[in-house]
Amino acid sequence: MSCGEPHETDCSEVLDHLYEFLDREMPDSDCTKFETHFEECSPCLEKYGLEQAVKKLVKRCCGHDDVPSDLRAKVMGRIEMIRAGEAVPGADVPAAAQE
C-alpha cells in the first residue's frame, strides 16, 4: 500500500513495523518518523487507524486473561526468529499435526 508519493520513511517500512509503533516498542525517534509519515500519507494513516481499532477491540474482549510468562517468552522468541530470518521449528508442519 502506498499513496504513490515519495516520503522520508517508506510506506513499506511503516507497515512492516506498524505493531511496534502501536505497542510503543520502538525508539521515540522512530515513533516521530512514523507520526510524520501518517500526517503525509492517508493510506497508511487509514491502515494505522484500522489496526488501532482492532487492537482496542481485542483488548476490550480478551484483555482480561493473564498470559503465562513461559508462553509469552515462547511467542516472543518465535517472533524474533522470524524477524531475524531464521527457520522456525515446526513452521512447515500442518496445523492438524501439531494438535
Side-chain angles (χ1 to χ4, degrees):
M1 171 191 324
S2 174
C3 64
E5 300 293 325
H7 301 285
E8 184 177 329
T9 306
D10 190 62
C11 294
S12 62
E13 179 183 350
V14 170
L15 298 177
D16 286 347
H17 299 281
L18 186 56
Y19 281 98
E20 291 171 63
F21 176 79
L22 281 167
D23 295 336
R24 293 297 198 202
E25 295 177 343
M26 59 176 30
D28 288 341
S29 61
D30 289 341
C31 287
T32 301
K33 286 187 341 184
F34 278 42
E35 290 163 354
T36 300
H37 183 91
F38 293 135
E39 290 173 6
E40 301 171 347
C41 182
S42 58
C44 287
L45 178 61
E46 184 178 334
K47 178 71 172 168
Y48 165 73
L50 176 64
E51 296 300 330
Q52 186 179 41
V54 169
K55 183 177 166 94
K56 285 180 182 179
L57 179 63
V58 169
K59 182 177 182 178
R60 186 180 65 198
C61 295
C62 306
H64 306 291
D65 299 328
D66 290 328
V67 177
S69 59
D70 60 330
L71 175 60
R72 178 173 170 71
K74 184 185 263 187
V75 169
M76 293 307 293
R78 291 247 176 146
I79 290 171
E80 290 303 318
M81 289 175 73
I82 291 168
R83 285 184 180 157
E86 299 175 21
V88 178
D92 58 343
V93 178
Q98 292 180 3
E99 294 178 356

